[in-house]
Amino acid sequence: MIYLDNSATTKPHPEVLESFLQVSSRFFANPSSIHQLGGETEKLLIQSKQQAAKLLAVHEEEIIFTSGGTEGNNIAMKGIALEHQGRGKHIITSEIEHPSVFEACKSLESLGFEITYLPVNQNGVVSVEDVRQAIRNDTILISIMHVNNEIGSIQPIQEIGQLAKNYPKLFFHVDHVQGLGKIPLTLANSGIDLCTMSGHKIHGVKGTGILYIRKGIKLCPLFHGGEQERNIRSGTENLAGAVAFVKALRFIKNREATEATKLQQMQQFLRNELQSIPAVMMNSPEDGAPHIMNFSIPGLKPEVMIHTLGKQGIFISTKSACSSKDLDESRIIKACGYNQARAKSALRVSLSYDNTIEELKTFLHTLKEALLQLSDVMER
Ligand SMILES: Cc1ncc(COP(=O)(O)O)c(C=O)c1O
């Protein structure tokens, strides 16, 4: 099997699974229980939070364990919007956000919030100047993703953070789900107020994640209940998930520090080879993230190629996993200004540190053979 769909999800690391299993069976007590077993569990939860905070260079009270990216994005966006709507109902985001931000914005629109969707250039990048110009007196939130999940474009988060610092009354949220472990992002003193991360994109287990909330920021909780996680996320804590997340975070941070070049080399190889295929049009920008390569084969339905490759044990994807069953055009490729033929035929190869150049060679060889075979079903 050659797995090249790592932006959809990654294979859990065996040691992460081992920790999950061990904690699930040994520390099963409820951390809120006041008996000794509950006390031990609570201690481990606090320890996990301290470790996560250390790895992210933030304070432990700024960490909320969540079930992943969708939940983190929704808590951040709706939590800020509902809590601070008295001050204004204007939110700024981009046209290329993941559905968990984009649809959260749509839902806030139906509640009377006004959303500015900033355009991107052909490289899929928003302009800091556009962000500046969009800020109004009633703006309460800016939400811009770090790395785009379809094409890998990297947004100028640091610059937007610096800009946001000049407006102490508005909050800046970053969806860091695709950037985590691939493109470093500083949280402390960066102007970032909230930041979403997901465990299953970094070889962790599904249903785990972290939402960073800068100290002192108030959010309206989406779940009401037992007041766990500083009353921001009620519900019995997933301790095994938290421990597993922290382990996955430690591993990926280590690989980010030591194996970045390997990922870049694989990406460069892939880009050079794909560019030499006449039917292929590259959609990912040259200076994008090293793990995402998006390209179109206009005239060919992406699902046909995905199934052809899949039969040979090679797994790639189209658009993002969350929308890959909905096979029409890509909202992101359209936003970059490309035509419909290109937006309807996009394929995504997404790498992990575990992939190899040999695997990419096999993928490229099989892709070229498939293109020859499929040439008669291609629309021209
Ligand atoms: C950029 C981005 N944000 C959010 C999410 C949602 O994360 P999760 O699957 O953990 O809910 C994804 C998942 O594809 C993503 O790529």
Side-chain angles (χ1 to χ4, degrees), residues 300-320:
L300 184 68
K301 288 199 173 93
E303 65 271 29
V304 174
M305 182 55 85
I306 286 166
H307 290 144
T308 307
L309 293 173
K311 277 190 210 146
Q312 309 206 44
I314 299 173
F315 303 103
I316 68 167
S317 70
T318 177
K319 302 208 297 184
S320 72

Side-chain angles (χ1 to χ4, degrees), residues 7-8 67-71 73 98 100 145 147 149 175 177-178 198 200-201 208 320 322:
S7 287
S67 69
T70 301
E71 185 188 318
N73 284 340
H98 183 267
S100 53
M145 73 197 322
V147 171
N149 48 298
D175 173 351
V177 168
Q178 291 292 343
S198 174
H200 74 100
K201 310 282 187 185
T208 65
S320 72
C322 314

Side-chain angles (χ1 to χ4, degrees), residues 194-251:
L194 305 113
C195 183
T196 302
M197 298 164 229
S198 174
H200 74 100
K201 310 282 187 185
I202 57 163
H203 304 281
V205 292
K206 282 154 189 77
T208 65
I210 275 182
L211 176 64
Y212 160 79
I213 307 175
R214 194 169 57 75
K215 238 200 281 192
I217 291 179
K218 267 190 88 186
L219 289 182
C220 176
L222 302 187
F223 305 148
H224 295 89
E227 305 194 352
Q228 289 91 342
E229 295 290 274
R230 295 191 2 254
N231 201 17
I232 288 167
R233 185 186 191 259
S234 284
T236 302
E237 298 90 340
N238 176 6
L239 175 65
V243 171
F245 181 94
V246 174
K247 191 151 220 175
L249 183 61
R250 175 168 301 120
F251 286 154

Side-chain angles (χ1 to χ4, degrees), residues 193-378:
D193 297 303
L194 305 113
C195 183
T196 302
M197 298 164 229
S198 174
H200 74 100
K201 310 282 187 185
I202 57 163
H203 304 281
V205 292
K206 282 154 189 77
T208 65
I210 275 182
L211 176 64
Y212 160 79
I213 307 175
R214 194 169 57 75
K215 238 200 281 192
I217 291 179
K218 267 190 88 186
L219 289 182
C220 176
L222 302 187
F223 305 148
H224 295 89
E227 305 194 352
Q228 289 91 342
E229 295 290 274
R230 295 191 2 254
N231 201 17
I232 288 167
R233 185 186 191 259
S234 284
T236 302
E237 298 90 340
N238 176 6
L239 175 65
V243 171
F245 181 94
V246 174
K247 191 151 220 175
L249 183 61
R250 175 168 301 120
F251 286 154
I252 205 83
K253 285 271 165 203
N254 191 23
R255 298 191 89 175
E256 179 182 55
T258 57
E259 294 183 55
T261 316
K262 178 189 171 190
L263 212 49
Q264 280 156 10
Q265 281 168 348
M266 284 197 287
Q267 184 202 37
Q268 199 52 53
F269 173 74
L270 194 55
R271 177 177 285 279
N272 291 345
E273 293 292 317
L274 284 170
Q275 264 169 348
S276 71
I277 305 174
V280 165
M281 299 183 121
M282 304 304 297
N283 299 321
S284 286
E286 296 254 4
D287 56 357
H291 62 303
I292 299 180
M293 189 58 73
N294 191 303
F295 58 96
S296 291
I297 304 176
L300 184 68
K301 288 199 173 93
E303 65 271 29
V304 174
M305 182 55 85
I306 286 166
H307 290 144
T308 307
L309 293 173
K311 277 190 210 146
Q312 309 206 44
I314 299 173
F315 303 103
I316 68 167
S317 70
T318 177
K319 302 208 297 184
S320 72
C322 314
S323 51
S324 56
K325 292 201 181 84
D326 164 18
L327 291 165
D328 55 8
E329 66 190 31
S330 155
R331 167 170 62 81
I332 312 305
I333 310 260
K334 275 306 268 292
C336 295
Y338 294 122
N339 65 19
Q340 202 195 33
R342 199 146 158 179
K344 278 176 91 164
S345 59
L347 292 162
R348 180 184 68 182
V349 170
S350 48
L351 308 174
S352 87
Y353 293 104
D354 293 330
N355 288 121
T356 61
I357 293 267
E358 282 313 307
E359 286 181 323
L360 296 183
K361 283 184 184 163
T362 308
F363 155 68
L364 287 157
H365 176 75
T366 317
L367 178 81
K368 285 178 196 166
E369 286 205 326
L371 274 172
L372 283 178
Q373 268 172 33
L374 296 170
S375 60
D376 40 325
V377 299
M378 278 174 72

